C-alpha cells in the first residue's frame, strides 16, 4: 500500500553506507556543521560570526530552508548558504522537484502525529510556491550532493542530512539510537567513518559506539535555527576541531579531535517577531513550531549526551 505524503522515504533518497569509504572531499582544522537552519537569518549571522573567529570551514547539511517563504528572504538565505560547502536536505530536495507524493520528504516515523505531518506538507507547498520564482536557485538546490566526507585531525567524518543510508533516514534520531543501538553500530562499522554528523530529526544527540573498528560517534545537532532544549533560546551546531572551544555546551574527544555541540546564539526577539509576521496564529508553522521557537522542546541536555568522556561546560 502506498504511504501517505510525508511518511515515505523516496527511493532516490537512498545510498549505501559503503559510499563513505572514499577519499575525503574536504579537510579542515576546524569545521562547523550546520543542519536545520530552517530559514532563520539571525542564526545564519550567528554561525558566520562564530566560524569567522577561528577561520573555520562551514558545511550546511540541509534543511536551511523552511520558514523562509517570503521571496526576498528565500533568495537571500539560499544565495548566502550556497557559497559554502552544502548538502541538500529533504526540504531542498522536495523544493527542487515537483513530487507531490513525497510531501515534505521527512519520512516521519510513527511517533510523529498525522496532523503534524499534514502541516509539514502544507509548509512545503507554500515554500515550493516561493521557490518557483527562482528557477536558477531551484536547479542549484536539486544538484547538491547528499553526503560529504571530511577529514579533521585524522578523523574521518561522514556528513549527512539523515543517516548512513538515507537523506531522510531516522536511524540517527535520539529515539532510534536509544532503542536500537546495535543497528546504528552496524551502520557505523559498515561505513568506515569515525564520526557521523547529521541533523533532520529535530532533537540533538551525541552518542558513542564501540564497533569492530574502535570507538565511533554519531552527533546530531538537532536544529541550528530553533531551540533544542527546554526553556532555551539558542540553536545548536556541531563543531569538530583539533582544539576544544570555550563556547561548547558539551562535547567529547575522539582520537586527536574534539566533537562538540556549540550554541548558535541568535537574536531571539527578532526571530520571534519575524516568525509571527510571516506565520501568524493558526498557520501550519505557528501550530507546529511556535511553542518550540518560543521556549524550546521538552528535552534536556542530559538526554542528548551519551558519551563516556563527557566534558560539559559549567
Ligand atoms: Fe530534514
Amino acid at each position: 500500500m502506498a504511504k501517505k505524503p510525508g511518511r515515505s522515504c523516496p527511493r532516490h533518497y537512498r545510498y549505501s553506507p559503503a559510499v563513505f569509504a572514499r577519499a575525503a572531499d574536504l579537510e579542515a582544522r576546524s569545521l562547523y556543521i550546520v543542519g536545520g537552519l530552517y530559514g532563520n537569518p539571525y542564526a545564519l549571522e550567528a554561525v558566520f560570526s562564530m566560524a569567522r573567529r577561528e577561520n573555520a570551514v562551514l558545511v550546511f547539511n540541509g534543511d536551511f530552508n523552511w520558514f523562509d517563504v517570503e521571496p526576498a528572504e528565500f533568495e537571500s538565505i539560499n544565495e548566502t548558504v550556497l557559497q559554502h560547502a552544502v548538502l541538500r536536505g529533504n526540504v531542498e530536495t522536495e523544493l527542487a522537484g515537483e513530487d507531490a507524493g513525497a510531501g515534505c520528504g521527512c519520512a516521519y516515523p510513527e511517533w510523529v502525529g498525522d496532523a503534524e505531518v499534514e502541516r509539514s506538507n502544507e509548509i512545503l507547498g507554500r515554500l515550493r510556491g516561493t521557490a518557483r520564482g527562482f528557477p536558477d536557485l531551484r536547479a542549484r538546490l536539486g544538484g547538491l550532493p547528499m553526503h560529504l566526507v571530511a577529514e579533521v585531525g585524522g578523523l574521518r567524518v561522514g556528513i549527512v542530512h539523515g543517516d548512513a543510508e538515507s537523506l531522510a533516514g531516522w536511524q540517527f534520531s535520539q529515539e532510534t539510537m536509544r532503542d536500537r543501538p546495535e543497528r546504528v553500530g552496524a551502520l557505523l562499522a559498515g561505513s568506515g567513518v569515525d564520526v557521523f554528523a547529521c541533523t533532520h530529526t529535530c532533537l540533538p544527540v551525541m552518542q558513542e559506539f564501540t564497533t569492530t573498528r574502535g570507538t565511533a560517534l554519531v552527533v546530531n545537532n538537532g536544529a541550528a535555527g530553533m531551540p533544542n532544549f527546554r526553556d532555551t533560546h539558542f540553536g545548536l551546531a556541531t563543531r569538530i576541531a583539533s582544539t576544544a572551544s570555550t563556547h561548547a555546551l558539551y562535547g567529547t574527544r575522539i582520537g586527536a579531535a574534539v566533537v562538540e555541540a556549540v550554541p548558535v546564539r541568535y537574536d531571539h526577539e527578532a526571530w520571534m517577531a519575524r516568525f509571527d509576521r510571516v506565520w501568524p496564529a493558526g498557520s501550519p508553522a505557528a501550530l507546529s513550531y511556535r511553542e518550540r521557537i518560543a521556549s524550546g522542546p521538552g528535552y534536556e541536555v542530559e538526554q542528548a549526551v551519551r558519551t563516556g568522556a563527557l566534558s560539559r561546560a559549567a
Side-chain angles (χ1 to χ4, degrees), residues 209-292:
F209 294 84
T210 303
T211 73
T212 47
R213 299 180 59 251
T215 302
L217 195 75
V218 174
V219 56
N220 186 328
N221 78 308
M226 290 195 293
N228 294 277
F229 300 112
R230 192 190 307 278
D231 297 329
T232 63
H233 288 161
F234 56 83
L236 277 187
T238 295
R239 179 180 180 275
I240 305 179
S242 40
T243 55
S245 164
T246 52
H247 302 288
L249 191 62
Y250 53 87
T252 191
R253 181 165 281 281
I254 169 167
V258 288
V259 179
E260 298 168 311
V262 288
V264 177
R265 298 194 188 278
Y266 57 81
D267 184 334
H268 169 72
E269 299 298 329
W271 176 228
M272 272 304 3
R274 186 181 292 236
F275 180 86
D276 284 341
R277 184 169 50 76
V278 178
W279 295 101
S283 67
L287 289 169
S288 284
Y289 295 99
R290 194 185 188 285
E291 199 178 315
R292 170 159 178 174

